[in-house]
Amino acid sequence: EVSTDDPEVAFCTLANREELNPEEDSVHHCLYQFTRNETLTETNKLLCDVCTQRHCGPKNNLSEKKCVYTNAKKQMLISLAPPILTLHLKRFQQAGFNLQKVNRHIKFPEVIDLAPFCTAKCKNVAEGNTKVLYSLYGVVEHSGTMRSGHYTAYVKMRAMNNHLSDLVLRGQSHASETEPVEGQWFHISDTHVQPVSVSKVLSSQAYLLFYERLL
């Protein structure tokens, strides 16, 4: 999508990113890196139609025009906060000609604020809000190697979230909670299900993370 917003606010976020100091090997650090401001130069320059028109004139045939490329800035931000947030962690890396699984622990919170990663004009966030909070309710974990392994899940059993239902069905959010949704966590492996503590969940090697919106 081509953005024609005022350049002064095009790269602004709901919450100040400058105050963030995300810890390495954390979901916050992953999001911060994924949404960082990038400068496109040299072979990554952007084709500028306006510059091309200015340089060659609008009457020239497109085939005769010398396309003009210019330096640019690029940033990927969230423009619409979803009711359900799904984070998929890249659990592999290139090792020579082979793929190797990444087994290190990535820290993730029970409640996460997406505001520093949302545009200042996020479409479904009320004006004046500087928080976009989500509560963890599901984790998928993979054990094994790139060739074989086993998937298990951690799921929180909790009461129905009426605010989330309103958000999913009508796009309206009136929630005021800022704490994790209360409930009991369970570890599920095939047909085996057992209750576990939240500390056990947060220490898992997450592959997929599922959050529901609070604010």
Side-chain angles (χ1 to χ4, degrees), residues 7-8 10-11 37-41 46 70-75:
E8 294 298 322
F11 296 95
N37 194 322
E38 300 177 62
T39 302
L40 305 179
T41 61
L46 193 69
T70 183
N71 294 336
K73 288 198 300 182
K74 168 191 169 185
Q75 187 174 28

Side-chain angles (χ1 to χ4, degrees), residues 132-205:
V132 183
L133 299 181
Y134 288 81
S135 177
L136 183 72
Y137 74 90
V139 179
V140 173
E141 183 179 43
H142 177 267
S143 58
T145 66
M146 292 292 296
R147 293 181 177 275
S148 65
H150 181 58
Y151 290 95
T152 59
Y154 294 91
V155 179
K156 178 188 280 188
M157 187 180 72
R158 71 261 192 252
M160 180 177 177
N161 186 339
N162 292 323
H163 297 305
L164 184 63
S165 299
D166 290 339
L167 188 61
V168 171
L169 298 175
R170 290 180 285 277
Q172 301 172 347
S173 176
H174 307 288
S176 59
E177 295 95 337
T178 59
E179 298 295 326
V181 177
E182 292 186 2
Q184 172 64 55
W185 282 97
F186 290 89
H187 182 233
I188 303 171
S189 178
D190 294 333
T191 59
H192 183 67
V193 179
Q194 66 176 3
V196 293
S197 65
V198 66
S199 60
K200 173 69 173 177
V201 176
L202 297 179
S203 65
S204 64
Q205 289 191 20

Side-chain angles (χ1 to χ4, degrees), residues 21-78:
N21 186 22
E23 186 178 356
E24 288 279 356
D25 294 338
S26 69
V27 164
H28 280 103
H29 187 260
C30 294
L31 288 169
Y32 186 84
Q33 291 293 100
F34 186 76
T35 59
R36 72 186 187 280
N37 194 322
E38 300 177 62
T39 302
L40 305 179
T41 61
E42 299 179 355
T43 57
N44 291 320
K45 284 184 177 181
L46 193 69
L47 172 61
C48 179
D49 292 333
V50 175
C51 299
T52 300
Q53 293 280 1
R54 187 182 300 133
H55 180 75
C56 302
K59 296 182 180 180
N60 291 356
N61 293 329
L62 183 62
S63 59
E64 298 175 357
K65 288 182 179 179
K66 181 180 179 181
C67 295
V68 177
Y69 293 82
T70 183
N71 294 336
K73 288 198 300 182
K74 168 191 169 185
Q75 187 174 28
M76 298 184 69
L77 295 171
I78 298 168

